[in-house]
Amino acid sequence: MGVLTGRTALVTGGGRGIGRGIAERLGRDGARVAVHYGSNEAAAKETVAAIEAAGGSAFAIGVELGLPGDAEALWESFDRQADGLDILVNNAGIGTSRSFDEIDETEYDKVFAVNVRAPHFISRLGASRLRDGGRVINISSGLARNAAMPDKMAYAMTKGALDVFTRDLSKVLGPRGITVNSVAPGIIDTDSTAEFLHGTEDGWAQASAISALGRVGTPADVADVVAFLASDDGRWITGSWVDATGGSLM
């Protein structure tokens, strides 16, 4: 019996990268996991298959975020396959943005639509489905605090907004025993960072040097933090920003 046996989780963007790591970890801990994807159905199905192969239970939900009605469509699909929710992980997001001098209004609006508006309304509509004592975990970024990278300004702004959302939503849902926290990764070895980490001569070395621990993070490093907050052991932590950068902000 896993620590999350009998609970249902939804991980947005759960088919790849950090989201897949989170989905698989929650599945190993016993949760039934809804694996959301925006466009890559094959990746989501691979994640579902991996969870099931490990003895867990999962299903896929395909909804493109950042469009009008996205939250409603997501929950309609979820409701066809599950009855109630215990853990909501708002992980899906656009992981970068062009610089201050280059970004146009279309890209700016898209980044905010996916990274800020979607989690807000997914959580708002999901609140009625969340059982008392549940969890909301938002995936932020080290760039929202002390690590300034002006070439990704708009992206960092969205994560700052998500952190304010986390703080204030914890007060809204707290009376029901629902905790709300942000988890902030640093540089993680995923397909979204592959070009920098593996496609440049010294990308891996540069990324390793940023961390106080001297290595590049893995999806499992972040997933383990999320799993702690999702468990009963994390019951007294809410409204918090949890640094999961491997000491990259020091």
Side-chain angles (χ1 to χ4, degrees):
M1 295 287 287
V3 296
L4 299 180
T5 297
R7 302 183 193 182
T8 300
L10 167 62
V11 181
T12 65
R16 299 183 297 126
I18 292 173
R20 177 170 180 164
I22 293 169
E24 291 187 1
R25 173 59 197 268
L26 297 181
R28 287 198 304 273
D29 284 352
R32 184 178 184 228
V33 185
V35 179
H36 160 266
Y37 66 92
S39 58
N40 196 332
E41 181 179 7
K45 287 185 174 180
E46 287 177 4
T47 303
V48 168
I51 293 171
E52 292 177 340
S57 175
F59 59 93
I61 295 176
V63 175
E64 183 178 356
L65 302 183
L67 302 176
D70 53 2
E72 291 89 345
L74 184 150
W75 288 116
E76 287 174 3
S77 181
F78 176 89
D79 290 341
R80 287 194 291 269
Q81 303 182 72
D83 181 16
L85 182 71
D86 300 284
I87 302 159
L88 170 60
V89 182
N90 286 308
N91 165 77
I94 296 174
T96 189
S97 61
R98 287 186 293 173
S99 67
F100 176 74
D101 293 332
E102 296 176 337
I103 193 168
D104 57 26
E105 291 184 6
T106 299
E107 180 184 353
Y108 184 94
D109 289 345
K110 181 67 172 179
V111 172
F112 271 83
V114 174
N115 292 10
V116 182
R117 190 183 71 197
H120 180 282
F121 287 101
I122 289 170
S123 300
R124 180 187 172 196
L125 296 180
S128 62
R129 294 163 171 87
L130 265 172
R131 286 182 269 266
D132 291 354
R135 304 283 189 265
V136 178
I137 301 165
N138 298 318
I139 304 304
S140 181
S141 169
L143 296 184
R145 297 289 176 102
N146 298 333
M149 293 182 68
D151 59 324
K152 301 183 186 301
M153 185 185 297
Y155 166 76
M157 289 168 65
T158 66
K159 295 304 184 177
L162 193 65
D163 293 339
V164 172
F165 176 61
T166 293
R167 181 195 66 198
D168 291 358
L169 187 61
S170 70
K171 287 286 190 177
V172 174
L173 298 180
R176 294 176 52 199
I178 298 170
T179 66
V180 186
N181 293 287
S182 287
V183 172
I187 299 177
I188 304 296
D189 185 15
T190 67
D191 55 357
S192 65
T193 58
E195 183 177 354
F196 171 69
L197 291 176
H198 304 286
T200 60
E201 183 176 350
D202 59 351
W204 190 271
Q206 288 183 39
S208 298
I210 291 173
S211 167
L213 299 175
R215 67 173 176 85
V216 175
T218 67
D221 291 325
V222 181
D224 289 350
V225 177
V226 172
F228 166 74
L229 292 172
S231 73
D232 289 339
D233 290 342
R235 65 191 176 278
W236 199 236
I237 302 174
T238 194
S240 292
W241 187 85
V242 181
D243 183 341
T245 68
S248 297
L249 302 184
M250 296 190 289

